[in-house]
Amino acid sequence: MYKIPSNIEKKGFWNVDGLENKNVFLRSCLNVSVDKYGNLLDESRLKESIQSIVELAFKSKSLIVCGHLGRPKSCEQNLSFKKNVLPWITENLNSKGFNVIFAESLSDIPPKDQRNKSNIYLLENIRFFKGEESNDRKEMIKFAESLAETSDIFVNDAFADYRVSASTYEIAKLLPSYIGRSFMKEIEALSKFYDPPRPFLCVLGGAKLSEKLEFLTTLAEISDKVLIGGAMAYTLLKAKGINIGKSLYEEDKVSLARELIKKHSQKMLLPVDHVISLEFSHSSQVTVTKSAEVPNEYFAIDIGPKTLEKYLEEISNAKSILWNGPMGVYEWPQSSTGTSQIGESIVKNKEAFKLAGGGDTIAAINMFSLSGFDHISMGGGAMLVFFSCDKFDTIDVIVNQYS
Ligand code: 3PG
């Protein structure tokens, strides 16, 4: 688990002297769920991020806000902020007396001495900019330099956006850098898990085992049990030699999954039955399997009733619970039960310390109106990095600055 540096409190932006004379560059978490047309599906991350945006807009000389949306390969229109983030932010900042100036390029932002305090500059999806995530480190640094030139200090409020990039990492080496309030809130909440009351249960789901594989070993080591659902379960079941029919899985991860199961077979619980369907569609007819095997022509789209019963029992006995990832295609009525029941049973366990996190998990929490978590983290991958690694690049680069 990541060990929080002792001097971290000092790195909150509220410790900056003379902030009213500073031009601030803020990295926010704006990575919201959108549909294929770019329509906003869940605004939780915007609601969280707007708080620091407003606070910094009032306190600083000028403010530039940036963030990313999705994983664009080029400037895909559904991932442009114009369709989703910009209207939401504009509406919410106008009501506070600020104008939002949308900047598709850095040249749309006036020089420091020509900015108006009532204007907040919102940069287009930062992943549209060449250099942000470049494999060529020199190109990434060059882009970070051009971002840094616009401002006097850098504030990172995007706990969720933990990957190294120009706007999350390299810029922090170039400007006096600080952590935002929302980011700090995440660190404080997650640190309560340093010595979790036992049994400590991890509930993991979601589509991609590849994104969780490197964390699963540590999570299995530090927790008492890991309950697995969602599409990631099918790569693990495949590795066990179980027929998964046409269910989604990651072929290139099967051999690693096999090693993982060998090492942690006692602690890792996998589905023993499934809700299955002949079509992968929101209105398909479903049936339930009698065992862990999925017939050849079928897709598994949710955990089945026997699995659910077993998982609910584990959840009711747990004293700490970490939940990341849905158990199935929770957006479809016929495959929402696994995720909704798991979520409901977690919040029903009043004695346990309950933490949930990640974009899909938050969307499911909102969809099923679940309340009672001790903390809902905006970060999914970030939360897993925090729990399983001894470094957290975007924090370390700020606290180690000039040391
Ligand atoms: C997330 O949604 O987990 C973060 O915003 C990071 O997004 P990424 O996995 O595309 O880097």
Side-chain angles (χ1 to χ4, degrees):
M1 191 157 173
Y2 178 67
K3 188 159 175 348
I4 300 171
S6 56
N7 61 343
I8 196 154
E9 255 301 323
K10 288 201 191 108
K11 292 307 283 184
F13 72 78
W14 43 96
N15 294 315
V16 181
D17 288 332
L19 193 60
E20 64 282 4
N21 299 317
K22 307 274 198 242
N23 298 288
V24 176
F25 188 94
L26 173 66
R27 179 55 156 93
S28 291
C29 178
L30 307 175
N31 190 21
V32 286
S33 304
V34 294
D35 65 16
K36 61 180 175 182
Y37 307 108
N39 299 312
L40 193 58
L41 295 177
D42 187 88
E43 55 189 34
S44 311
R45 283 178 163 176
L46 297 178
K47 280 189 178 158
E48 183 63 36
S49 296
I50 197 84
Q51 301 171 40
S52 296
I53 297 177
V54 170
E55 185 179 1
L56 279 163
F58 275 115
K59 291 187 174 162
S60 64
K61 183 164 172 250
S62 78
L63 182 65
I64 298 172
V65 181
C66 95
H68 79 260
L69 177 55
R71 295 177 178 170
K73 295 199 172 48
S74 60
C75 300
E76 293 155 36
Q77 277 323 291
N78 62 327
L79 297 179
S80 163
F81 280 175
K82 279 187 215 157
K83 190 80 198 262
N84 34 60
V85 175
L86 175 63
W88 193 96
I89 296 243
T90 304
E91 189 185 330
N92 283 274
L93 289 177
N94 284 169
S95 63
K96 302 265 183 314
F98 293 100
N99 306 311
V100 178
I101 310 291
F102 187 56
E104 289 188 70
S105 80
L106 290 177
S107 59
D108 293 337
I109 299 174
K112 288 181 194 170
D113 56 355
Q114 288 169 30
R115 289 181 204 156
N116 180 337
K117 190 177 160 58
S118 61
N119 290 343
I120 295 171
Y121 301 90
L122 174 68
L123 270 176
E124 171 62 291
N125 186 351
I126 199 75
R127 287 187 174 169
F128 282 8
F129 291 73
K130 203 167 157 237
E132 168 64 0
E133 292 200 298
S134 179
N135 292 329
D136 175 353
R137 201 57 175 240
K138 281 195 192 130
E139 189 176 44
M140 186 190 280
I141 293 171
K142 199 157 172 262
F143 181 53
E145 283 167 354
S146 62
L147 296 177
E149 272 165 25
T150 64
S151 302
D152 306 316
I153 74 165
F154 169 62
V155 176
N156 189 351
D157 201 34
F159 167 77
D161 306 341
Y162 63 97
R163 292 180 212 280
V164 167
S165 72
S167 72
T168 57
Y169 183 83
E170 288 299 342
I171 188 175
K173 295 183 182 163
L174 303 166
L175 286 175
S177 296
Y178 299 88
I179 292 174
R181 279 201 202 271
S182 160
F183 200 138
M184 199 66 98
K185 199 163 83 183
E186 294 273 8
I187 296 172
E188 279 161 6
L190 300 191
S191 67
K192 299 218 172 88
F193 266 75
Y194 274 133
D195 190 10
R198 305 271 169 180
F200 168 25
L201 194 68
C202 291
V203 182
L204 293 183
K208 290 198 171 168
L209 180 66
S210 53
E211 298 205 342
K212 299 188 183 167
L213 201 58
E214 59 178 309
F215 312 120
L216 254 175
T217 301
T218 317
L219 289 177
E221 277 161 12
I222 64 173
S223 67
D224 296 296
K225 239 167 223 164
V226 184
L227 313 184
I228 296 179
M232 64 182 273
Y234 298 96
T235 308
L236 290 157
L237 289 172
K238 178 97 185 164
K240 279 184 86 172
I242 291 172
N243 189 7
I244 59 164
K246 287 162 96 177
S247 311
L248 302 178
Y249 79 106
E250 291 170 279
E251 201 177 345
D252 57 334
K253 298 295 172 217
V254 171
S255 70
L256 274 173
R258 198 168 291 126
E259 282 171 35
L260 191 73
I261 292 170
K262 226 191 256 167
K263 210 166 156 202
H264 296 291
S265 60
Q266 299 300 310
K267 278 192 177 179
M268 276 178 20
L269 269 56
L270 288 165
V272 291
D273 61 349
H274 319 274
V275 172
I276 55 170
S277 157
L278 273 169
E279 282 166 61
F280 195 75
S281 131
H282 70 283
S283 54
S284 58
Q285 296 282 325
V286 294
T287 174
V288 170
T289 62
K290 289 199 170 56
S291 72
E293 304 275 338
V294 179
N296 284 342
E297 295 307 308
Y298 285 81
F299 295 93
I301 54 175
D302 196 10
I303 54 175
K306 280 193 245 159
T307 311
L308 194 54
E309 195 184 332
K310 175 71 189 145
Y311 285 10
L312 296 191
E313 188 191 329
E314 295 289 346
I315 290 169
S316 66
N317 292 327
K319 293 279 185 294
S320 327
I321 305 168
L322 164 67
W323 179 27
N324 170 247
M327 296 288 109
V329 191
Y330 69 95
E331 306 93 317
W332 299 344
Q334 75 277 31
S335 48
S336 62
T337 307
T339 306
S340 69
Q341 295 280 303
I342 289 284
E344 273 169 32
S345 69
I346 293 175
V347 294
K348 247 194 228 150
N349 181 340
K350 300 284 177 222
E351 275 181 48
F353 185 77
K354 301 174 281 288
L355 173 63
D360 284 341
T361 314
I362 294 171
I365 287 171
N366 291 337
M367 184 164 165
F368 303 122
S369 308
L370 303 173
S371 64
F373 290 94
D374 292 279
H375 180 67
I376 298 177
S377 174
M378 292 296 123
M383 192 168 78
L384 299 183
V385 169
F386 197 94
F387 277 100
S388 3
C389 304
D390 53 8
K391 67 190 186 96
F392 197 104
D393 296 316
T394 58
I395 300 177
D396 295 336
V397 72
I398 291 180
V399 293
N400 294 338
Q401 199 181 38
Y402 312 126
S403 65

